[in-house]
Amino acid sequence: MPARRIMPCLDVRGGRVVKGVRFRAHVDCGAIEDLARRYRDEGADELVFYDIGASPAGRSVDLDWVGRVARVLDIPFCVAGGIDSVAKARAVLRAGADKVSVNTPALMRPDLIDELADAFGVQCVVVGIDSTREADGEWRLRSHTGDAERMRAPGRRMLDWLLEVQARGAGEVVLNCIDSDGVRRGYDLAQLAAARALCRVPLIASGGAGTIAHFVDAFARADVDGALAAGAFHDGSVRIPVLKRSLGLHGVEVRDAA
Amino acid sequence: MNVAIVDTGAGNIGALQAALQRLGAEGRLVTEAAALADAERVLLPGVGAAGAAMATLRANGLTEALRRLEVPLLGICLGMQLLFERSREGEVETLGLLPGTVAPLPPAPALRLPHTGWSRLHRRGDDPLLEGVADGAWAYFVHGYAAPVGADCVAEAEHGERFAAAVRRGRIAGTQFHPERSGLAGARILQSFLKGWDR
């Protein structure tokens, strides 16, 4: 079993890192490369960049910053945002990203997952899933979540989609739990545990981290392979070296920060 | 130094070029055999499927050029797997520069596949490829297939079972992990490759 991964997530809009609360009200958090450098030095295991303006605006990621990030980082990073074809994915990987993550474009056209897995291997293909608990108690998908005005509800059950994306060639799944996103009351452990039971590929928790205890819970109680967070890292309320020491003390194996 | 990066048509070549730049070297993309003639170091990266990568190499006349090479060659990830004789992935014949067959990591309950993330390197012996890399150092892996721990294995790792994480035989070396994405340990391995080996 590899070390459990700590993954800062950088939402990128207009060439800057921003952060929203429940996918709304974005505030500026700094320059992309500065944050990439900071997290690299603090011992992050992987970085995830979401070009959150891309899918709603119908455009793909701007490759220029991908190349700049690739030059700065000696840890892996994943890029998401409007990647809806093998050609676009190839351009992002060529610019220096290690993986691509698809969310809305995969929901619009599920064959995209198969095509990416065929072209680059499943290890390059991350599928992001945005999901919320509806009134009947079922977790269902949301798409176009980069822009609250355009968010849509395709009506599908999260667990059904989770099985489908694995069958199609997802090599990793990031489960963004919308109800807990940005409010820092902890990851949605019930939803993550339900997903874990059906997920054979690495599963990454996303949405809700505010304290070190939240990370401990996600690994110890939902058995996720990685935990993604944004705001709690950006504002310094959770420091990665402290977080990793604490996880180690709780018996969660993590990579020693260099 | 003239460092050639063989283009297998897929993957994060930009990451590898950036890692070489951090070490003061330039990696030049090579798509055909003639361009390997004056290379002093050759990198064979690659992600994706063994069959597709071998087809690309064959179509560009690169399989024979790689077999005849007389300078240090480092295969990374799928590139390391291609150094062996065969891959169970599509049952394809690969370059045959090292003895052995690449096989899938065996599924087991609660074992996540592909093997994705940071795992420890366990050194076997004292190979110059791993100069400055501590036993137990972390390296970044993303793969579903692996080569067995054989005579050329200089570091092993474990995911369900032990497999060859790094190999070297003379001028031929390989890492199953991504040195360009493995922090300081990875940088040291690339440095060792650029320096070359005299045994």
Side-chain angles (χ1 to χ4, degrees):
Chain A
M1 184 71 116
R4 306 286 174 151
R5 280 175 277 159
I6 299 300
M7 302 162 64
C9 173
L10 294 83
D11 286 350
V12 174
R13 174 175 279 172
R16 303 281 294 177
V17 176
V18 297
K19 178 58 193 156
V21 175
R22 287 204 180 93
F23 293 60
R24 290 172 187 267
H26 294 99
V27 294
D28 190 280
C29 294
I32 301 172
E33 291 149 275
D34 292 344
L35 279 159
R37 240 181 239 114
R38 186 184 120 194
Y39 291 131
R40 173 200 68 190
D41 293 343
E42 288 183 352
D45 298 304
E46 185 165 341
L47 298 184
V48 180
F49 295 89
Y50 277 95
D51 189 342
I52 54 169
S55 252
R59 61 173 181 81
S60 185
V61 290
D62 156 22
L63 297 182
D64 188 50
W65 63 261
V66 177
R68 295 202 312 270
V69 166
R71 286 194 284 279
V72 166
L73 288 182
D74 61 2
I75 57 170
F77 74 101
C78 175
V79 170
I83 297 168
D84 58 5
S85 68
V86 167
K88 284 183 187 172
R90 178 172 283 124
V92 169
L93 295 170
R94 289 222 157 214
D98 301 277
K99 307 173 185 177
V100 293
S101 181
V102 292
N103 186 332
T104 297
L107 272 172
M108 301 291 103
R109 195 172 68 80
D111 282 347
L112 175 65
I113 300 169
D114 308 65
E115 292 167 12
L116 293 173
D118 284 347
F120 309 112
V122 299
Q123 72 283 349
C124 271
V125 185
V126 180
V127 175
I129 299 178
D130 291 319
S131 165
T132 190
R133 188 164 220 155
E134 295 189 340
D136 63 355
E138 283 284 355
W139 295 293
R140 289 202 180 81
L141 304 180
R142 292 293 179 270
S143 70
H144 300 79
T145 50
D147 180 344
E149 304 308 313
R150 298 183 191 221
M151 198 184 297
R152 296 181 205 166
R156 295 200 59 177
R157 282 183 359 123
M158 178 275 289
L159 293 170
D160 293 339
W161 180 235
L162 176 68
L163 290 173
E164 180 173 343
V165 302
Q166 291 178 84
R168 286 180 176 275
E172 183 158 299
V173 171
V174 175
L175 184 58
N176 310 306
C177 305
I178 293 178
D179 303 316
S180 57
D181 183 68
V183 293
R184 307 211 191 167
R185 294 199 189 117
Y187 291 101
D188 187 339
L189 297 176
Q191 184 167 192
L192 289 165
R196 171 82 283 165
L198 296 180
C199 193
R200 304 177 317 273
V201 300
L203 176 67
I204 311 300
S206 169
T211 67
I212 285 174
H214 295 155
F215 290 87
V216 174
D217 284 346
F219 292 119
R221 293 170 57 190
D223 192 22
V224 295
D225 299 278
L228 185 149
F233 292 140
H234 295 340
D235 71 8
S237 56
V238 174
R239 289 283 181 194
I240 293 170
V242 182
L243 168 61
K244 285 194 154 183
R245 274 197 297 278
S246 186
L247 285 167
L249 291 173
H250 283 88
V252 177
E253 194 181 25
V254 288
R255 179 176 72 109
D256 328 88
Chain B
M1 179 174 290
N2 187 337
V3 183
I5 302 177
V6 177
D7 189 354
T8 47
N12 57 344
I13 285 168
L16 190 54
Q17 284 179 306
L20 292 172
Q21 273 168 18
R22 288 194 291 272
L23 296 170
E26 286 293 325
R28 170 175 64 91
L29 278 190
V30 164
T31 51
E32 52 184 43
L36 278 184
D38 57 352
E40 295 164 272
R41 298 285 182 274
V42 177
L43 280 158
L44 180 62
V47 294
M54 282 306 293
T56 304
L57 292 179
R58 255 194 308 275
N60 297 320
L62 282 161
T63 48
E64 276 315 304
L66 287 169
R67 286 177 181 133
R68 285 197 308 265
L69 212 60
E70 288 173 356
V71 296
L73 167 67
L74 178 66
I76 296 173
C77 197
L78 174 65
M80 161 174 157
Q81 297 176 10
L82 298 181
L83 301 175
F84 290 86
E85 293 166 290
R86 271 192 86 69
S87 176
R88 292 266 169 260
E89 187 182 23
E91 292 299 338
V92 288
E93 184 197 335
T94 44
L95 293 169
L97 293 164
L98 298 174
T101 298
V102 168
L105 290 168
L111 186 74
R112 264 76 97 175
L113 289 169
H115 173 212
T116 307
W118 296 81
S119 291
R120 288 185 186 277
L121 300 178
H122 300 290
R123 298 182 55 141
R124 290 163 54 90
D126 187 27
D127 194 88
L129 178 66
L130 301 176
E131 191 185 323
V133 178
D135 189 41
W138 295 96
Y140 183 75
F141 293 84
V142 214
H143 62 120
Y145 287 75
V149 177
D152 304 315
C153 177
V154 298
E156 58 180 60
E158 185 262 328
H159 188 69
E161 67 173 17
R162 297 180 310 133
F163 63 88
V167 291
R168 192 177 75 88
R169 169 185 285 203
R171 62 171 188 84
I172 310 284
T175 62
Q176 181 57 66
F177 54 91
H178 287 269
E180 74 278 17
R181 286 290 181 251
S182 292
L184 193 55
R188 290 206 164 122
I189 286 163
L190 288 175
Q191 215 156 19
S192 158
F193 162 71
L194 291 173
K195 202 167 119 193
W197 312 292
D198 49 17
R199 64 179 162 98

